Amino acid sequence: MAKKPAGSKVAPARTAKRASAAEDWPNTVYRLLREGGVTQFAYVPDAGHSVCISRSLADPDVQSVALTTEEEGVALVCGAHLGGAKAVLLMQSSGVGNTINLLSLAEFGRFPFLTLVSMRGEFGEGNPWQYAMGQAVTKVLEAMGVQVLRAEKPEEVEEVLRAAMTMTWQSGMRVAVLLTQRLLGAKVFAPAT
Amino acid sequence: MAKTTTKSAAKAAPKTKTVTPVSERKSSGHLDRRQATIRLLGKTDDVLIIGGIAGAKDDAMGAAGGDVAHCYALGGAMGAACAMGLGLALAQPTRRVFVVTGEGELLMNSGTLATIGVLNPPNLSIVVLDNEYYGETGYQPSHTARGVDLVKIAEGSGIKATRMVTKESELDDAARMLRQSNGTSFVVAKVAPTDPERVPHSRDGNWQRQRFVRTVAAWKK
Ligand SMILES: Cc1ncc(C[n+]2csc(CCOP(=O)(O)OP(=O)(O)O)c2C)c(N)n1
């Protein structure tokens, strides 16, 4: 017992990994955003964001802002920054199309801007209406100066989100994290009809 | 040669006016837009202001005493002003936040009134300068010239402190409501369709942002 077996140095990391694996990735997302100082959660609902939305509604220390269109969310995030607060925009891939012109505010004003996009219209999509916008998401965001990161597996969500948060609030970039359809999986959505 | 080209081009051009002349602009509004804004906002040295696209940003700056740090003047991003004001008001709950916007801009995202109505932050005050025209683009009549009532839209969106101002004698009362209501307040000022007096200002949105953020952070201390 006195002598730890070889390789024990990695044990704490393994324990940490197991602990975070016990927390499902949507709760990890909420925890990381809160630890990062986000106090405004703005969204047009999507199943892929349901945990963040319900937790923000239940959290007395944050503002949970239900938008009528994603475009408002871009302006809201910029306004929050003017007042010294951090905000995040949660939207479905279809909503990216609604944000385009107001992304010019974020880009021209060099506002730090973070959005999490739950993807449709890609891996395994059974609703053909989702493909046109889903397939345009990366091109549209990049055309407006937003850097795009993808999370494909539950175990990489934390790393990708941490990177995005650093890019946004340390470097002042405009950043989107795509929560891909492969990550969201068939469990989140009802079978396509 | 050059003269001939110009002449023939002028002949070929259709005789349409790109700007409706002042004499042909008809609006139910009579208030002077700058004076109305000054009286509705009142003392501005300790408030935060978002000035919307077109003339609204000039009137906002005019009321704030010029191109000041605590007034963010939008030269584009039509439809952003109210939502930007909401984010700012939620971030700075102890400060008064004014949004000054044109009715054309407001109509682009009238859903934002519903977003605001649900949260109802008492420190958010919205002033709509309604000249019943899309002035900036040459004075094409807007929806409010044709029966659309923004006060009713705001009320239907859950904003309780609302007012339509058509006369100078109503300005002081509206200004009081903008400062004292216990929820978000919303005033539509029916202004004359005259060209807004421009205010010289920085048009660098990034510089404006940094100046605003630094100033607000210093105020807190
Ligand atoms: C998305 C978008 N559509 C159209 C325009 C063109 N545009 C610039 S200002 C403006 C009208 C603004 O009207 P209003 O808010 O009533 O202000 P006014 O000029 O009458 O004071 C329009 C349509 C634009 N800038 N952006």
Side-chain angles (χ1 to χ4, degrees):
Chain A
M1 278 304 283
K3 271 192 180 177
K4 285 180 182 173
S8 66
K9 273 180 194 163
V10 299
R14 272 195 199 143
T15 315
K17 212 170 193 181
R18 236 177 277 132
S20 70
E23 178 187 67
D24 60 357
W25 70 260
N27 280 294
T28 305
V29 167
Y30 191 75
R31 178 174 56 80
L32 290 176
L33 291 170
R34 289 293 289 124
E35 285 171 6
V38 173
T39 54
Q40 294 186 27
F41 289 77
Y43 49 83
V44 173
D46 189 38
H49 296 300
S50 57
V51 169
C52 260
I53 293 170
S54 59
R55 287 198 59 184
S56 72
L57 280 165
D59 188 339
D61 299 323
V62 306
Q63 302 285 350
S64 186
V65 184
L67 307 164
T68 65
T69 169
E70 294 79 359
E71 181 175 32
E72 296 172 341
V74 179
L76 182 106
V77 170
C78 294
H81 169 78
L82 286 186
K86 288 177 185 163
V88 66
L89 169 59
L90 311 172
M91 60 178 162
Q92 196 202 74
S93 44
S94 314
V96 171
N98 291 352
T99 66
I100 301 174
N101 184 47
L102 288 198
L103 285 173
S104 62
L105 166 63
E107 174 64 12
F108 179 62
R110 291 277 185 268
F111 284 83
F113 171 77
L114 178 63
T115 181
L116 271 52
V117 182
S118 55
M119 288 301 296
R120 300 291 307 269
E122 51 172 35
F123 191 86
E125 177 61 66
N127 178 357
W129 288 85
Q130 290 283 356
Y131 282 95
M133 190 63 234
Q135 290 298 309
V137 160
T138 300
K139 287 179 222 165
V140 162
L141 288 170
E142 286 178 351
M144 291 308 295
V146 181
Q147 310 207 24
V148 180
L149 306 180
R150 290 175 69 89
E152 301 274 357
K153 299 177 201 142
E155 57 271 25
E156 69 188 23
V157 169
E158 175 158 0
E159 186 190 13
V160 173
L161 183 54
R162 279 189 190 281
M165 286 164 55
T166 302
M167 291 161 77
T168 305
W169 294 308
Q170 210 160 303
S171 294
M173 295 291 119
R174 288 138 298 287
V175 184
V177 172
L178 307 191
L179 304 170
T180 63
Q181 207 153 353
R182 191 158 206 184
L183 169 73
L184 297 171
K187 275 181 199 165
V188 178
F189 300 108
T193 50
Chain B
M1 267 307 276
K3 262 184 188 172
T4 322
T5 316
T6 315
K7 263 184 192 168
S8 61
K11 263 178 201 166
K15 287 178 182 172
T16 45
K17 291 168 192 157
T18 52
V19 177
T20 309
V22 183
S23 58
E24 289 173 27
R25 297 176 200 163
K26 290 176 184 69
S27 166
S28 73
H30 298 293
L31 294 167
D32 177 275
R33 53 184 301 157
R34 178 65 46 85
Q35 287 309 314
T37 313
I38 289 171
R39 285 187 51 192
L40 287 170
L41 266 58
K43 192 171 162 290
T44 52
D45 44 357
D46 60 348
V47 302
L48 306 174
I49 307 171
I50 303 290
I53 190 170
K57 67 165 181 334
D58 292 285
D59 292 318
M61 287 185 290
D67 181 8
V68 295
H70 54 286
C71 177
Y72 196 91
L74 290 158
M78 183 171 174
C82 284
M84 210 175 173
L86 175 62
L88 179 56
L90 295 177
Q92 291 281 324
T94 60
R95 291 230 172 254
R96 170 82 27 210
V97 174
F98 279 103
V99 172
V100 182
T101 179
E103 90 286 1
E105 172 172 48
L106 188 87
L107 284 160
M108 184 160 280
N109 266 326
S110 53
T112 305
L113 295 178
T115 301
I116 290 168
V118 185
L119 297 168
N120 205 24
N123 60 325
L124 179 59
S125 308
I126 301 167
V127 172
V128 184
L129 301 176
D130 181 5
N131 57 4
E132 303 182 355
Y133 281 98
Y134 290 89
E136 184 79 9
T137 48
Y139 289 85
Q140 299 82 13
S142 77
H143 305 58
T144 57
R146 303 164 173 187
V148 171
D149 185 336
L150 293 174
V151 168
K152 280 189 184 152
I153 293 177
E155 283 170 353
S157 302
I159 299 174
K160 292 190 180 65
T162 64
R163 190 132 336 156
M164 171 90 77
V165 176
T166 57
K167 296 194 276 261
E168 280 181 27
S169 57
E170 297 164 341
L171 284 168
D172 289 343
D173 211 38
R176 255 193 303 280
M177 187 197 73
L178 286 168
R179 294 274 180 164
Q180 292 170 3
S181 82
N182 53 13
T184 297
S185 49
F186 180 89
V187 168
V188 174
K190 286 284 183 182
V191 300
T194 50
D195 297 340
E197 191 190 323
R198 298 301 180 186
V199 174
H201 65 287
S202 163
R203 300 180 71 188
D204 182 338
N206 179 22
W207 187 79
Q208 273 199 73
R209 173 185 66 80
Q210 295 184 43
R211 180 180 62 161
F212 195 108
V213 169
R214 266 203 312 275
T215 302
V216 175
W219 277 6
K220 260 186 177 170
K221 284 170 204 161

